[in-house]
Amino acid sequence: MLEISGREVLIEELTAPLEKDSAITQVEGFKVVRGQLHCSRCGTSDRKKRQIAPCSCGKDCYYCVTCLQMGKIKRCSILYTAKEQNHFPSLKEPLLTWEGELSKQQKEASLAIVETIKIGGERFIWAVAGAGKTEMIFKGIELALQDKKRVCIASPRVDVCLELAPRLKRAFQHVPLAVLYGGSDEAYCYTQLVIATTHQLLRFNQAFDVLIIDEVDAFPFNVDQALQYVAKKAKKQQGALIFLSATPSRKMQRAIQQKKLTATMLPARYHGYRLPEPQLIWCGDWQKKIRQQKKISVFFSYLKKSLDNKRRTLIFLPNISLMQQVARQLEHCFPDSAFTTVYAQDPKRKDKITDMRQEKYDFLLTTTILERGVTFKDIDVIVLGAEDRTFTESALVQIAGRAGRHKDFPSGAVLFFYYGKTRALKKAVQQIKRMNRLAMERGLIERC
Amino acid sequence: MLTCLCCGKQETEKVLLKDIVYFKKLVSANRCQTCQSRLAPLANEVTCLGCCRIKQDGNDWCLDCIKWKKTYPDYPFSHTALFQYNSFLKEWLENFKYKGDYRLAKLFDQELTDYFNAKNQKNKKCIPIPISQASMELRGFNQVEELLTSAGIEFYPALVHIGTGKKQSSKNRKERMESDQPFKLDEKYCKQLKNKRVILIDDVYTTGRTLFHAAELLRQAEATTIETFSIAR
Ligand SMILES: [Zn+2]
Ligand SMILES: [Zn+2]
Ligand SMILES: [Zn+2]
């Protein structure tokens, strides 16, 4: 029974058979909402996403293509659900075993989060890369747990969830924690505190009093609609919804500006130094130069200077093919330098990143995959071809955010080599400058 | 514009000049070039005469097939498979059979049509390997029958599954080799098969155990020749 408390699942997803209970409700696989047929799990109503197929039910049956990877929802499927019980064992005090110190802006954000958790509603936490956003949610979680509230921290990205799990376990040592993601070996277990991918949230129904969505901007296509659906489904109506992000989408930025969405800004890094602002350098038709086997002079001379100064650099390129062409030229021009290339599906990706961290390379060429999560101690950042479509406003802000993360090396150069200024490029620079200005006004960073 | 059945990517279709020149029957492509490139056709490989796997050594028959010859000394078996059972086909079968994505039945329309409409295949009766009642209830369809239906190939469901329905994939190799006859002949078709040439069809040839069980029954029904066929090996 507790297994389906606040859940909405197929019988084959259960770890134990359900005993008869009047509190259990059955929901059909598809239901009509406002005259439209919807998949009961993922909410898809697009007719093209309903596939007619033969079925053992013998009737004209169809299934949902959108959420098929999570198990088939058919017309004849039955989902089992029960009202969230908030039936949790008493927890051993102190709940919060983390003993770190919050910075001034973190304290402010922490208070704002506590406030939202108490009264419900939505709040957006806009924190620059390196602001330390995980620590500031701890206090709010502690209070919610004490109030017998059910709490979930979700992210569209599995890696974010997996990174979060040990940190949360350390911060709440005596609180049972379930970590839910596709392909996990662990069976579902009813807990008060949950970490889940936003996908897994589809298996919940009015479960959480507090839902915190981290890296919300990483949500795949169809963003706002799907995200709204999943949040509305998994969270209780009166519950609190908190978004965390370093780079909100334009739509969210607009909602914040128009005060439709309450936001808390964290414009400064935890170490109190300003964000490195990108330098824009025009490099002409660089792709043509590559095709003609000519050097991109501004880029090459900068890199030479940088190597002479013993600086280590991350170089971002728009795609694998361009990356490899540039790598060949660099091999030719800098035969004495140690460097390599890495891309998303690179089988040696992990090793290469570790080697870069251990300073075995002078520079690393990469496609956009390193933009989140990966940090290097003392590094400069270059984007070659910053005008390319792959470099969105948030990608550029994330990339710039790789530099100057460490308190011992708070500065680092960020260079965007471009051929044609895009809106994304201008907006990204504006965003970074605005954050520095904001941090200065609030006295969060030193003038330097 | 084609939408890839496997990965959902959209791509503009390319009609090759040679297909038009040779009046090749054009079935609209349903996979993108990336997914196409992940297929490993066996047609151009040197394979075992028995089971169609890529040859491991200089011998015409692989060690497994030599064992089969001992078990079935008077059954001159010969298997044909279209592709290597690589990661791509594993994904396909996982999504088609186990996740139950019915759309994937279409994936090999072109290849199946080409194979079964060839001149030397005329007048042979196609018999799909049946699935257990339990699988049928779970999946709602027999994946082999749906592959054939999708490609417009006539078939005779002459075999019936009578086994426990324990999935082949959940047994280890030894268990699989020792498993008892899971099929029986459907009385209705018995007479129709006598003195006929038949092709037994499965989705993938793994150990061969399933197909040999099925072939045994068809020999009892006095089919003249029994060939076996699968998408993957
Ligand atoms: Zn669905
Ligand atoms: Zn059905
Ligand atoms: Zn063989």
Side-chain angles (χ1 to χ4, degrees):
Chain A
M1 182 53 205
L2 275 180
E3 191 179 352
I4 59 165
S5 169
R7 299 262 285 170
E8 193 174 84
V9 289
L10 294 165
I11 201 100
E12 57 263 31
E13 291 171 318
L14 295 170
T15 55
L18 278 180
E19 55 263 40
K20 271 224 162 68
D21 195 313
S22 58
I24 299 173
T25 315
Q26 300 191 359
V27 182
E28 286 182 21
F30 285 81
K31 59 188 170 202
V32 179
V33 184
R34 274 175 256 109
Q36 262 194 323
L37 199 56
H38 284 71
C39 165
S40 293
R41 181 167 58 200
C42 72
T44 301
S45 61
D46 186 353
R47 263 182 64 196
K48 283 185 223 119
K49 300 290 180 188
R50 278 198 302 275
Q51 173 67 41
I52 297 170
C55 178
S56 51
C57 69
K59 302 204 190 85
D60 292 331
C61 204
Y62 42 78
Y63 63 90
C64 177
V65 170
T66 310
C67 64
L68 181 69
Q69 287 300 324
M70 300 181 73
K72 209 169 180 176
I73 298 285
K74 298 180 287 189
R75 180 191 177 182
C76 60
S77 298
I78 301 288
L79 292 154
Y80 293 83
T81 179
K83 195 169 171 281
E84 174 59 50
Q85 316 268 303
N86 285 67
H87 184 80
F88 308 114
S90 304
L91 296 165
K92 201 176 130 200
E93 295 278 352
L95 295 184
L96 183 58
T97 42
W98 179 78
E99 285 175 333
E101 187 79 40
L102 292 178
S103 70
K104 187 179 165 211
Q105 64 165 358
Q106 278 177 315
K107 265 182 212 152
E108 288 166 14
S110 176
L111 281 175
I113 290 169
V114 166
E115 175 83 2
T116 306
I117 288 176
K118 274 187 187 154
I119 61 173
E122 294 185 6
R123 177 175 296 274
F124 197 100
I125 306 287
W126 187 347
V128 298
K133 57 187 157 74
T134 310
E135 297 83 8
M136 68 203 179
I137 61 174
F138 289 164
K139 196 72 201 163
I141 294 175
E142 186 189 28
L143 287 174
L145 294 174
Q146 280 163 344
D147 287 349
K148 291 283 172 199
K149 286 177 172 169
R150 199 172 185 196
V151 179
C152 177
I153 300 132
S155 170
R157 299 163 57 98
V158 186
D159 52 346
V160 172
C161 291
L162 293 178
E163 218 177 82
L164 218 53
R167 295 178 70 182
L168 220 59
K169 256 180 211 155
R170 248 177 283 136
F172 296 95
Q173 281 170 20
H174 312 299
V175 183
L177 170 71
V179 185
L180 311 174
Y181 57 95
S184 162
D185 296 329
E186 251 159 81
Y188 174 76
C189 178
Y190 181 68
T191 55
Q192 190 177 0
L193 186 59
V194 176
I195 291 181
T197 56
T198 40
H199 253 95
Q200 295 298 318
L201 289 182
L202 290 171
R203 293 209 169 99
F204 287 88
N205 187 21
Q206 307 295 301
F208 300 108
D209 304 280
V210 178
L211 178 57
I212 300 168
I213 304 184
D214 196 1
E215 302 258 10
V216 59
D217 49 290
F219 209 77
F221 18 78
N222 219 316
V223 192
D224 302 293
Q225 232 186 335
L227 187 66
Q228 260 169 28
Y229 178 84
V230 82
K232 206 172 154 195
K233 189 176 180 199
K235 183 184 72 72
K236 286 185 194 164
Q237 230 162 25
Q238 308 302 324
L241 179 58
I242 293 158
F243 298 110
L244 305 177
S245 173
T247 49
S249 68
R250 242 170 241 167
K251 204 166 174 183
M252 282 201 160
Q253 289 187 35
R254 214 173 303 130
I256 293 166
Q257 264 157 24
Q258 296 168 348
K259 309 249 185 270
K260 283 180 191 157
L261 189 57
T262 318
T264 302
M265 307 288 282
L266 286 87
R269 291 187 154 162
Y270 77 96
H271 57 42
Y273 293 90
R274 57 192 298 147
L275 300 167
E277 287 174 14
Q279 275 172 264
L280 299 188
I281 299 168
W282 186 82
C283 61
D285 191 348
W286 60 284
Q287 296 200 30
K288 187 175 165 193
K289 286 196 178 143
I290 290 177
R291 280 196 301 275
Q292 295 170 341
Q293 316 257 335
K294 282 185 195 151
K295 274 197 241 176
I296 309 156
S297 43
V298 268
F299 168 65
F300 273 71
S301 55
Y302 176 83
L303 192 60
K304 184 173 180 320
K305 209 169 72 203
S306 163
L307 286 167
D308 291 344
N309 291 334
K310 300 260 180 282
R311 292 294 302 165
R312 292 169 53 258
T313 313
L314 285 177
I315 303 171
F316 291 82
L317 288 128
N319 60 53
I320 297 176
S321 148
L322 282 167
M323 174 175 81
Q324 279 158 349
Q325 292 174 53
V326 171
R328 272 195 292 278
Q329 290 196 357
L330 290 173
E331 228 162 74
H332 190 71
C333 299
F334 301 103
D336 302 327
S337 310
F339 77 95
T340 190
T341 61
V342 64
Y343 57 94
Q345 274 87 39
D346 194 331
K348 290 192 194 138
R349 185 180 161 192
K350 268 200 182 131
D351 297 339
K352 286 175 175 176
I353 290 171
T354 312
D355 286 351
M356 184 67 187
R357 275 212 179 107
Q358 291 172 353
E359 315 195 347
K360 287 185 188 160
Y361 298 119
D362 301 319
F363 55 94
L364 184 68
L365 297 178
T366 176
T367 50
T368 57
I369 44 109
L370 293 180
E371 68 199 43
R372 286 166 201 272
V374 177
T375 51
F376 300 93
K377 224 170 163 184
D378 183 18
I379 201 108
D380 289 344
V381 175
I382 291 178
V383 177
L384 182 55
E387 74 285 355
D388 194 274
R389 270 197 330 169
T390 56
F391 296 118
T392 58
E393 177 183 341
S394 36
L396 289 169
V397 172
Q398 290 276 3
I399 287 171
R402 294 310 102 195
R405 288 290 277 267
H406 200 274
K407 66 176 191 315
D408 299 337
F409 309 97
S411 60
V414 177
L415 290 101
F416 291 167
F417 288 92
Y418 70 98
Y419 178 54
K421 254 186 216 171
T422 58
R423 192 180 140 94
L425 191 53
K426 286 184 225 163
K427 284 265 177 195
V429 178
Q430 269 173 27
Q431 198 185 119
I432 294 167
K433 286 189 171 161
R434 184 167 154 242
M435 285 297 183
N436 278 337
R437 209 167 49 234
L438 213 60
M440 197 92 87
E441 283 165 14
R442 283 170 48 185
L444 299 168
I445 50 174
E446 301 300 315
R447 213 171 275 273
C448 69
Chain B
M1 203 61 150
L2 83 89
T3 306
C4 178
L5 260 183
C6 306
C7 68
K9 204 170 80 185
Q10 299 206 319
E11 207 171 75
T12 38
E13 262 180 283
K14 280 190 192 132
V15 177
L16 295 175
L17 185 63
K18 75 172 198 310
D19 293 343
I20 299 167
V21 173
Y22 294 109
F23 300 105
K24 196 170 168 218
K25 191 178 151 208
L26 284 176
V27 177
S28 181
N30 53 27
R31 42 187 188 251
C32 71
Q33 285 175 36
T34 317
C35 287
Q36 178 69 34
S37 70
R38 291 182 64 199
L39 278 169
L42 283 164
N44 308 320
E45 303 285 344
V46 185
T47 55
C48 165
L49 293 181
C51 66
C52 207
R53 75 154 61 141
I54 289 182
K55 258 206 215 180
Q56 315 287 308
D57 46 37
N59 302 318
D60 285 346
W61 298 78
C62 73
L63 290 172
D64 290 334
C65 285
I66 290 167
K67 276 186 214 147
W68 283 124
K69 280 184 166 195
K70 278 184 198 139
T71 321
Y72 297 95
D74 42 2
Y75 165 34
F77 60 91
S78 150
H79 184 76
T80 306
L82 295 178
F83 302 103
Q84 281 178 57
Y85 193 38
N86 58 7
S87 62
F88 179 73
L89 280 193
K90 279 189 185 128
E91 276 164 39
W92 165 69
L93 210 59
E94 167 69 25
N95 286 321
F96 178 35
K97 209 162 135 176
Y98 300 115
K99 294 245 161 72
D101 196 354
Y102 183 71
R103 296 173 298 172
L104 291 172
K106 292 200 285 281
L107 194 65
F108 296 109
D109 280 1
Q110 174 80 69
E111 287 78 5
L112 289 171
T113 321
D114 287 352
Y115 184 83
F116 287 98
N117 288 346
K119 276 205 189 68
N120 56 353
Q121 301 298 338
K122 293 277 171 233
N123 303 320
K124 290 181 189 170
K125 288 199 186 299
C126 295
I127 301 172
I129 294 293
I131 61 171
S132 71
Q133 199 53 43
S135 300
M136 195 64 185
E137 240 140 63
L138 205 66
R139 205 172 301 151
F141 57 86
N142 174 335
Q143 71 281 359
V144 183
E145 290 184 6
E146 297 306 331
L147 280 168
L148 295 172
T149 308
S150 175
I153 294 153
E154 197 188 0
F155 61 84
Y156 300 82
L159 294 170
V160 186
H161 201 290
I162 51 165
T164 55
K166 191 181 175 195
K167 270 193 224 151
Q168 280 291 330
S169 53
S170 64
K171 295 175 187 169
N172 62 34
R173 188 179 169 87
K174 188 159 173 285
E175 278 180 299
R176 269 191 231 186
M177 301 313 278
E178 286 168 356
S179 52
D180 295 326
Q181 177 61 266
F183 311 124
K184 74 174 181 26
L185 274 166
D186 187 331
E187 303 289 334
K188 283 193 296 236
Y189 293 96
C190 264
K191 286 197 192 91
Q192 293 183 41
L193 296 176
K194 194 171 173 181
N195 298 329
K196 287 286 175 344
R197 299 197 289 163
V198 300
I199 310 180
L200 275 167
I201 299 156
D202 205 353
D203 44 21
V204 55
Y205 183 116
T206 331
T207 59
R209 184 61 275 181
T210 311
L211 283 166
F212 276 95
H213 272 316
E216 204 178 346
L217 290 175
L218 292 172
R219 277 165 11 96
Q220 286 164 22
E222 295 175 62
T224 15
T225 59
I226 304 163
E227 288 167 56
T228 57
F229 173 91
S230 65
I231 300 279
R233 170 67 176 108

